[in-house]
Amino acid sequence: MAAIPHSAAPSATPDWGALARRGRRRRLVSRSLLLAFLTAVSVPILLPYFWMFTISVSAKTGGVESAVLWRSVAVLVPAVVVWGLLRLLLEERRQRILLALAVASAAAVALWIAIGDELHTANYRFLWNPDLVEEIRGRATARGQFPWVWDAFANSLLLATVQTVLVLTVSTLAGYYLSRFRFPGRAGFLQGLLVLHAFPAMTLVIPIFLLMYWSGLLDTLTGVILVIATLELPFSIFVMKGFFDAVPWDIEMSAMTDGATRRQAFVRVVLPQVKVGMLAVGVFAFIKGWEEYVFVRTLLFEKSNWVMSLYIFYVSEDIMGVDYGIVAAVAVFYIIPSLLLYLFCQRFLVQMTLGGIKG
């Protein structure tokens, strides 16, 4: 009987178990390295915020000891790192909520054990005592009486909310028009949007100041709202156009074939497809309006028009050397709206994609 040629012999069967174990090891190593890198770059960013929070709840008139700061960091940093790592490993929403509650409870107990004797809420009295800042300053300045922090908070909320509505409305309509219609100069208009966004806004401070003065909008929240919304619109329009480009035209055409008008198809069919983009644009516009400082510092003078960024600047300038616990407490109060907005919208923001942006 003739021997079977070597080339015709059946190949060895792969060891699928060994390959699977090797793949799991590789995934574990790569994920561990990624998590280690994210932890390493996150800690220096989070550290100032941890110190700011610790100072706000522990600093007294004489200051705060460095040992208190480091003991609080020894509790807060591991808690946040553990929460972040476990959150990446859990996919169910209920498990994540239970995890967050467990980590927060454990961190609160550990923080109380570490610096419980130093904790107090005296630095947050400015929330219900409108004259506290003046009492701490202990002197009169050319600016006179500080406004209450809630007045500045209301102005910031009004500015950020109205500006967000303007940006979201105009960018959505303009993005849809640029995505669905062709007109002369369309390509140049799109290029102009990017060019406008590329220029630093600081270069426009003097022209905008003169424009607001001549139009009678200087030292008004309306003028600041219009300025910030105008500067945010170019990029927001371009982003919304990308989301509309990702929505197939066939869906809209099918709705109009079934009897819907163009407006009905836009509202009931197209807009639900780009809600993630609208949410992302709205969140970024709100944060921009909330944290704006350059133009509010340039265009607002009356204390009744102060927003939170101006308030914390003047508080820091006047009482930092007297009682920086108050300054830290105002800073914590200032970032709470942005933090809450991010926490509620983060699961939508991570889904954000510009889609297929076409010229």
Side-chain angles (χ1 to χ4, degrees):
M1 183 176 181
I4 299 177
H6 179 71
S7 59
S11 58
T13 303
D15 188 350
W16 298 111
L19 293 176
R21 289 190 296 271
R22 187 183 306 170
R24 285 194 295 268
R25 285 195 299 268
R26 289 179 178 177
R27 286 195 300 270
L28 179 61
V29 171
S30 61
R31 176 173 292 187
S32 300
L33 292 176
L34 176 61
L35 295 178
F37 171 77
L38 294 177
T39 302
V41 299
S42 298
V43 169
I45 299 174
L46 295 175
L47 192 60
Y49 291 98
F50 292 148
W51 276 357
M52 179 179 65
F53 172 75
T54 303
I55 292 172
S56 72
V57 295
S58 62
K60 299 179 176 65
T61 304
V64 61
E65 297 181 2
S66 60
V68 174
L69 297 178
W70 287 111
R71 287 202 300 267
S72 67
V73 168
V75 173
L76 295 175
V77 170
V80 173
V81 171
V82 170
W83 175 76
L85 295 179
L86 294 180
R87 189 175 180 277
L88 292 175
L89 301 176
L90 298 177
E91 298 181 356
E92 295 185 6
R93 180 177 177 83
R94 182 179 179 182
Q95 292 179 345
R96 291 182 175 181
I97 295 176
L98 294 176
L99 169 67
L101 293 175
V103 173
S105 301
V109 172
L111 193 64
W112 180 263
I113 295 174
I115 59 173
D117 296 338
E118 303 290 337
L119 296 178
H120 62 85
T121 59
N123 293 326
Y124 287 89
R125 288 177 296 161
F126 68 91
L127 293 175
W128 57 85
N129 184 359
D131 298 325
L132 177 63
V133 175
E134 289 295 331
E135 293 174 3
I136 294 176
R137 290 168 67 200
R139 66 183 189 278
T141 64
R143 282 190 291 274
Q145 185 77 16
F146 267 54
W148 196 11
V149 67
W150 287 106
D151 295 334
F153 183 89
N155 289 337
S156 285
L157 190 62
L158 175 65
L159 187 154
T161 302
V162 175
Q163 181 253 353
T164 300
V165 172
L166 288 176
V167 170
L168 192 57
T169 302
V170 176
S171 63
T172 300
L173 296 176
Y176 175 78
Y177 190 88
L178 289 171
S179 175
R180 291 294 191 258
F181 296 94
R182 298 292 184 269
F183 54 89
R186 176 176 175 274
F189 183 80
L190 290 173
Q191 294 173 0
L193 291 178
L194 292 180
V195 171
L196 288 174
H197 186 72
F199 284 114
M202 284 291 295
T203 60
L204 302 175
V205 170
I206 295 178
I208 288 177
F209 181 90
L210 295 176
L211 184 62
M212 292 294 103
Y213 174 76
W214 290 331
S215 61
L217 294 176
L218 190 63
D219 198 18
T220 63
L221 288 176
T222 301
V224 177
I225 289 171
L226 293 177
V227 168
I228 300 176
T230 302
L231 295 175
E232 285 296 300
L233 274 175
F235 185 71
S236 299
I237 292 174
F238 198 80
V239 169
M240 287 307 303
K241 175 192 174 296
F243 279 100
F244 283 116
D245 286 343
V247 178
W249 166 248
D250 295 341
I251 298 177
E252 191 174 356
M253 180 61 69
S254 298
M256 290 188 290
T257 302
D258 292 338
T261 63
R262 188 66 179 262
R263 183 178 302 174
Q264 291 173 335
F266 170 72
V267 173
R268 299 180 181 179
V269 177
V270 180
L271 280 185
Q273 303 294 322
V274 297
K275 62 182 180 180
V276 174
M278 295 177 63
L279 181 64
V281 170
V283 168
F284 294 142
F286 183 90
I287 293 177
K288 174 63 177 177
W290 182 262
E291 68 180 7
E292 177 60 35
Y293 173 75
V294 173
F295 286 101
V296 298
R297 180 73 175 85
T298 306
L299 303 177
L300 297 179
F301 311 110
E302 288 292 332
K303 291 179 288 297
S304 59
N305 292 329
W306 277 10
V307 295
M308 284 300 298
S309 57
L310 280 179
Y311 187 89
I312 193 173
F313 170 76
Y314 286 128
V315 167
S316 302
E317 185 180 47
D318 274 9
I319 70 173
M320 175 64 81
V322 181
D323 194 330
Y324 55 87
I326 296 290
V327 179
V330 174
V332 172
F333 179 67
Y334 181 35
I335 67 174
I336 285 177
S338 299
L339 179 62
L340 293 177
L341 183 65
Y342 170 75
L343 291 177
F344 282 112
C345 300
Q346 59 175 329
R347 68 188 185 96
F348 298 103
L349 294 178
V350 296
Q351 301 173 9
M352 180 179 174
T353 173
L354 299 186
I357 297 181
K358 298 179 292 185

